[in-house]
Amino acid sequence: MNEKPETKPETLEDKIQAVSAPVAASEAKVKRGTGWKVATIILAIFAIAGCGGLCYLFFVDNSISLLGRTITSSKTATNDEPKEEPKDEPKTEPKKELPKYDGKVSFSENSDKATWYFLFEEVFIRLDGWGGKVTDFKYSEDYGGTRRLTIWYYTCLEGGSCDDVPSYATKEGNEFGLAEIEIFDGLEYIPADASNRQYVGTINGDKEVYVSIFDKDWREQYNLTVPGNNAHEQNWFSDATNQLESILTDIYNYSGTDY
């Protein structure tokens, strides 16, 4: 017959160890679970910090140091790249603006082209000097309502330099000027005395243009002295009045709008 092994009776110490062993195992499990939680929290903190840094770079356009490295946003990193130069746009010449009509006469000079513009009685007058020069002008009005534009002018085609202004091109040496322009409203008034006026044409449908030239013939007709200090200057005066007449009697040099 088999004999049972002899068993020793449990002592008080054995009972205490048997009870404490499961408790120690449970504490080890608890400690291991707490470690995972701490690790998870740390990783979450790093993730949040990383997202915050990326957002900062994206919205603020700056750089940030993370784990010993400097991270720079794409905008900041590309500042040194060459920028495309803007293309040159074709330049347009500004339109020449004449003074607004003030009820009398306005004057504008374009010295580059030796061209002068008058705005008189709402009609633009273009005076192309052809090498000549307008030295002065005068607006006058009589009691009958007639309004006139008188012009002092000289040509450089004869007599040498344009810097030498002859006496007939000044108000002091020639009180009558070289030419006079009158613009009448054809529906209201037509000049009765046409002996000294040349009809040029009609502008704006009712503005009739007349021109008077104060040349040698006109002065001899009224027994007036031809202006000029000598015979050469008097011939120069004839050249100027002939040229001015050819300009002012051409209706294409008058317009109802800006040139």
Side-chain angles (χ1 to χ4, degrees):
M1 291 183 67
N2 295 329
E3 294 182 1
K4 293 182 180 180
E6 186 178 353
T7 58
K8 294 180 180 182
E10 292 182 347
T11 63
L12 180 60
E13 184 179 355
D14 293 335
K15 291 180 180 181
I16 292 172
Q17 289 180 354
V19 173
S20 62
V23 174
S26 298
E27 288 179 356
K29 290 181 181 179
V30 170
K31 289 180 180 179
R32 285 196 294 269
T34 304
W36 281 107
K37 290 179 181 179
V38 172
T40 302
I41 293 172
I42 293 174
L43 290 175
I45 292 173
F46 276 112
I48 294 172
C51 292
L54 291 175
C55 293
Y56 181 82
L57 292 174
F58 183 78
F59 291 106
V60 182
D61 188 20
N62 210 326
S63 61
I64 189 170
S65 296
L66 185 63
L67 299 177
R69 294 185 179 182
T70 300
I71 303 174
T72 307
S73 66
S74 60
K75 291 184 180 180
T76 305
T78 56
N79 280 344
D80 296 335
E81 295 180 1
K83 296 181 180 179
E84 185 179 354
E85 294 294 332
K87 296 181 179 179
D88 293 334
E89 297 182 358
K91 295 181 180 180
T92 56
E93 293 294 333
K95 184 179 179 182
K96 181 181 179 62
E97 294 185 2
L98 294 176
K100 293 188 179 298
Y101 183 62
D102 60 1
K104 294 183 180 180
V105 58
S106 298
F107 176 72
S108 177
E109 178 178 352
N110 185 346
S111 58
D112 293 338
K113 296 183 179 179
T115 304
W116 295 266
Y117 300 88
F118 290 94
L119 179 56
F120 174 59
E121 291 297 302
E122 298 180 344
V123 174
F124 290 98
I125 306 167
R126 179 179 59 196
L127 200 156
D128 192 341
W130 295 347
K133 186 171 183 178
V134 174
T135 57
D136 215 334
F137 66 94
K138 180 180 72 174
Y139 170 85
S140 60
E141 183 176 347
D142 61 20
Y143 291 106
T146 302
R147 292 172 291 276
R148 301 179 178 90
L149 171 63
T150 305
I151 297 175
W152 280 259
Y153 172 88
Y154 72 97
T155 176
C156 303
L157 298 180
E158 298 289 342
S161 172
C162 257
D163 296 332
D164 300 328
V165 180
S167 60
Y168 67 77
T170 64
K171 289 182 178 180
E172 293 77 13
N174 176 14
E175 62 175 316
F176 297 102
L178 272 72
E180 189 175 78
I181 303 171
E182 295 173 294
I183 300 177
F184 300 96
D185 188 339
L187 301 178
E188 295 182 1
Y189 178 79
I190 296 294
D193 180 13
S195 60
N196 186 42
R197 297 181 177 92
Q198 300 181 48
Y199 172 71
V200 179
T202 303
I203 297 295
N204 296 341
D206 61 351
K207 300 290 184 180
E208 298 195 357
V209 181
Y210 289 81
V211 171
S212 300
I213 303 297
F214 303 133
D215 53 11
K216 282 186 177 182
D217 294 338
W218 177 83
R219 294 173 186 276
E220 290 174 357
Q221 178 183 352
Y222 292 97
N223 296 320
L224 299 173
T225 302
V226 176
N229 296 328
N230 51 51
H232 175 72
E233 191 170 274
Q234 291 179 2
N235 292 330
W236 193 5
F237 167 79
S238 296
D239 293 334
T241 53
N242 289 337
Q243 187 181 93
L244 195 56
E245 181 178 11
S246 67
I247 297 171
L248 295 180
T249 56
D250 187 351
I251 191 60
Y252 292 105
N253 287 323
Y254 300 82
S255 174
T257 58
D258 191 355
Y259 283 95

